[in-house]
Amino acid sequence: MPKMFKKKEAEEKIFKVKRGKFISRLRGMKDILPDEYKYWNLVIKKASELSKAYGFRRLETPILENLELYERSSGRASDLVTKEMFSFVDKNDDKIALRPEATPGLVRAYVEHGMFNLPQPVKLFWLGPVFRHDKPQAGRFRQFSQFNLETIGEPSPVADAELIALTYYFFSELQLEVAIQINSIGCALCRKEYLVKLDNFYKERGRRAKLCQTCKKRLAKNPLRLLDCKEKQCLEIAGEAPQIVDSLCDDCRNHFIKVLEYLDGLDIPYNLNPTLVRGLDYYNRTVFEIWPSSAEATDGKPAEAEALRNEQPRQNALGGGGRYDGLVEHSGGRPTEACGFAIGLERVILKIKEKNIPLKDEEKGDIFLAQLGDQARRKIMLLFEELRKSGLSVRQAFTKDSLKAQLEVANKMGVKYTLILGQKEIMDGTILIRDMESGIQEVIDYKKIAVELEKRLSNNK
Ligand code: AMP
């Protein structure tokens, strides 16, 4: 083959890109597109402001942790560990998990960094992604984000009430109506007695036969979990079960009463929910969840039965938490009482969207800078930086040439004024200022831009 042909063929190989097969995102995973960020910014800002005001300090932990951390903390038999965890063996044969929840990692960090030496309680604020191999559906993803607060090193019921109050303020300030569900599952001692009663109840007169398959298995291993099964037939039976609050020891009962008294004092509404137990091993005493208020969850239609009323919001819980007094010690630390909560941000954002709550569009600005010709573009690029640094909310479309196209962008960004610079204005030392509402354009002295803008924008307020 002649040399020239060989070269051409090689060039073709380099430059000819074959269209590849498209690989879509994984099931249950989502992209957050630019239009969504106004919602994310809002909820993150609210979470950060509240956390700061109440003295919670932010920290981050790795997404990957030892699998054993979750097996030991969340519970080897929990759904989270047995069914939902993403785990793998890495190149060193270590068993690794993608965090399915934040609390075990936060407690690990508390012990590992000797935070028990700090003044107690240590109040932690955490925001980040978690991973669960859940069955994807509306509001249920395999990667989602949580906002967590943990108060570590505080036995007082004030800490529980403070957390519940904070979740309530978080939702009410976002204009979302929620129903706080609360219960106490006591301590290891009083629960032991209760579990005997529960076991007897479920074994009574053919009740066991009516349970779902999973609950039949749970009955032997963890009967408490039968109470929060989401299957309709199990919910109905759970409604008749003996209530754990009736079996609480004096200390646990007094603790629970105090939590409720603090909430009453703050006028925070709640529902005492005897079937709320939360699914993880580490909880004791106060447990709570935040449900969308039932009017919203059923679209205002009266629910047919108590079971149905309970079922829908329970599956779409916006957040949940509770006390975990044994977890720090169980994780290798000193005996340390603690409590915390997690709120799922995707579900919060879905609710904000459903309710059409108007949001400030942060991409919008006050002034747009338009240019005609390359010389004007160079000058306007410098002016843009000057105005931006002076604190003005300026927008631009430097890559566009036509004035029509630039004015279209300016309109989209909802600016009040557009400054237009062309060849003639450069020669005259002027610039045009266009009032976007009236369309009126005036010539102003280029040197007086800042003064003019300040005057016009302050008149506009
Ligand atoms: P949990 O600790 O399981 O109660 O989770 C706390 C919060 O995270 C829930 O109340 C939900 O708001 C949210 N959440 C849990 N699982 C998912 C999921 N698969 N997809 C989206 N959000 C979730």
Side-chain angles (χ1 to χ4, degrees):
M1 199 184 283
K3 228 182 179 178
M4 221 176 71
F5 275 119
K6 264 196 180 164
K7 191 174 166 238
K8 198 160 173 251
E9 211 175 66
E11 271 177 5
E12 266 175 11
K13 263 196 190 150
I14 294 170
F15 294 113
K16 202 169 171 206
V17 178
K18 212 170 141 211
R19 176 180 255 198
K21 183 174 165 274
F22 175 69
I23 300 168
S24 62
R25 63 185 195 270
L26 292 171
R27 202 163 119 75
M29 304 282 172
K30 61 174 194 319
D31 300 308
I32 304 176
L33 300 179
D35 280 348
E36 297 262 304
Y37 263 94
K38 54 176 181 283
Y39 300 102
W40 286 90
N41 291 342
L42 176 80
V43 294
I44 290 171
K45 189 164 168 245
K46 183 57 63 198
S48 313
E49 279 171 5
L50 273 170
S51 307
K52 198 167 151 194
Y54 279 83
F56 290 80
R57 299 179 69 214
R58 188 160 179 181
L59 89 165
E60 172 60 313
T61 56
I63 287 173
L64 301 183
E65 297 269 9
N66 270 306
L67 173 70
E68 203 189 339
L69 179 74
Y70 301 106
E71 287 179 339
R72 267 180 39 191
S73 313
S74 320
R76 275 176 218 280
S78 65
D79 285 355
L80 195 77
V81 168
T82 54
K83 298 186 191 154
E84 296 167 7
M85 200 145 60
F86 279 91
S87 57
F88 61 95
V89 177
D90 76 358
K91 292 188 171 70
N92 296 333
D93 281 341
D94 290 326
K95 288 184 187 156
I96 309 287
L98 270 74
R99 65 180 171 215
E101 57 154 340
T103 308
L106 292 170
V107 167
R108 177 202 48 70
Y110 171 89
V111 177
E112 197 162 337
H113 297 282
M115 289 191 222
F116 42 83
N117 290 321
L118 300 173
Q120 305 291 300
V122 172
K123 295 167 88 179
L124 303 174
F125 159 39
W126 178 93
L127 258 178
V130 291
F131 303 82
R132 290 185 195 172
H133 208 276
D134 247 334
K135 206 166 153 206
Q137 49 184 270
R140 176 150 301 148
F141 304 98
R142 288 183 173 170
Q143 177 181 338
F144 57 99
S145 301
Q146 285 187 341
F147 154 40
N148 269 64
L149 292 183
E150 316 284 345
T151 303
I152 308 182
E154 182 55 74
S156 163
V158 190
D160 312 45
E162 182 183 67
L163 287 177
I164 297 168
L166 247 154
T167 58
Y168 181 72
Y169 301 142
F170 176 78
F171 288 105
S172 60
E173 288 174 26
L174 289 171
Q175 300 172 49
L176 297 176
E177 286 157 44
V178 293
I180 296 173
Q181 310 292 317
I182 187 168
N183 194 17
S184 172
I185 55 169
C187 60
L189 282 179
C190 48
R191 208 176 313 144
K192 208 169 165 190
E193 204 179 294
Y194 173 71
L195 288 179
V196 175
K197 283 190 201 164
L198 198 63
D199 197 51
N200 291 338
F201 167 80
Y202 276 106
K203 284 180 181 154
E204 235 175 69
R205 274 184 288 117
R207 264 193 203 112
R208 193 180 176 280
K210 289 190 198 152
L211 297 171
C212 74
Q213 288 310 319
T214 323
C215 279
K216 279 183 186 146
K217 284 186 211 144
R218 278 178 185 150
L219 194 53
K221 281 192 221 149
N222 191 355
L224 210 56
R225 288 300 317 279
L226 268 70
L227 295 177
D228 78 344
C229 174
K230 292 165 180 84
E231 295 297 328
K232 202 172 163 200
Q233 71 270 28
C234 302
L235 265 167
E236 273 168 5
I237 302 176
E240 296 163 8
Q243 303 193 352
I244 193 163
V245 278
D246 296 331
S247 300
L248 296 180
C249 61
D250 285 349
D251 283 352
C252 287
R253 185 177 308 109
N254 288 338
H255 193 276
F256 191 42
I257 289 171
K258 279 265 162 54
V259 175
L260 301 181
E261 281 173 357
Y262 283 119
L263 294 178
D264 292 337
L266 292 168
D267 251 346
I268 291 181
Y270 54 82
N271 297 330
L272 290 173
N273 187 332
T275 62
L276 188 79
V277 294
R278 311 270 300 143
L280 305 170
D281 279 6
Y282 52 67
Y283 284 114
N284 68 305
R285 290 194 169 167
T286 320
V287 286
F288 63 96
E289 280 190 358
I290 317 296
W291 293 0
S293 74
S294 30
E296 275 182 35
T298 56
D299 289 324
K301 289 183 211 106
E304 281 162 32
E306 188 57 31
L308 187 65
R309 223 192 312 273
N310 244 341
E311 179 187 24
Q312 260 195 356
R314 188 185 279 246
Q315 280 174 352
N316 297 318
L318 297 166
R323 187 158 271 288
Y324 49 91
D325 291 334
L327 184 58
V328 178
E329 192 178 5
H330 190 68
S331 308
R334 299 175 187 163
T336 310
E337 291 97 339
C339 50
F341 75 70
I343 290 177
L345 297 185
E346 282 76 4
R347 291 196 188 164
V348 176
I349 288 172
L350 275 172
K351 280 276 153 227
I352 296 174
K353 284 185 184 168
E354 260 172 41
K355 288 204 76 186
N356 274 329
I357 295 167
L359 295 184
K360 187 172 173 263
D361 192 341
E362 284 155 6
E363 285 169 17
K364 302 222 153 151
D366 289 332
I367 305 142
F368 188 86
L369 301 192
Q371 31 68 32
L372 287 162
D374 214 36
Q375 200 189 349
R377 179 162 20 226
R378 273 181 250 253
K379 225 175 152 182
I380 226 80
M381 285 168 94
L382 280 174
L383 178 65
F384 182 84
E385 260 315 278
E386 221 177 90
L387 296 181
R388 187 187 69 79
K389 281 188 184 139
S390 76
L392 285 169
S393 160
V394 271
R395 300 289 178 264
Q396 50 83 13
F398 296 150
T399 55
K400 301 221 179 294
D401 295 323
S402 91
L403 183 61
K404 188 167 167 260
Q406 292 180 70
L407 288 178
E408 268 170 22
V409 180
N411 266 325
K412 243 193 205 157
M413 294 187 162
V415 298
K416 297 183 183 93
Y417 298 101
T418 296
L419 294 172
I420 307 167
L421 189 70
Q423 202 56 37
K424 181 173 181 311
E425 288 75 31
I426 295 182
M427 306 268 280
D428 297 348
T430 59
I431 196 162
L432 291 178
I433 184 161
R434 180 186 173 97
D435 184 316
M436 296 300 283
E437 208 179 300
S438 65
I440 294 170
Q441 291 188 175
E442 288 169 61
V443 179
I444 58 168
D445 186 343
Y446 192 87
K447 291 198 197 85
K448 294 194 177 144
I449 292 175
V451 186
E452 273 294 328
L453 287 177
E454 199 181 314
K455 192 172 82 193
R456 286 174 195 242
L457 288 172
S458 60
N459 285 346
N460 236 302
K461 271 181 194 161

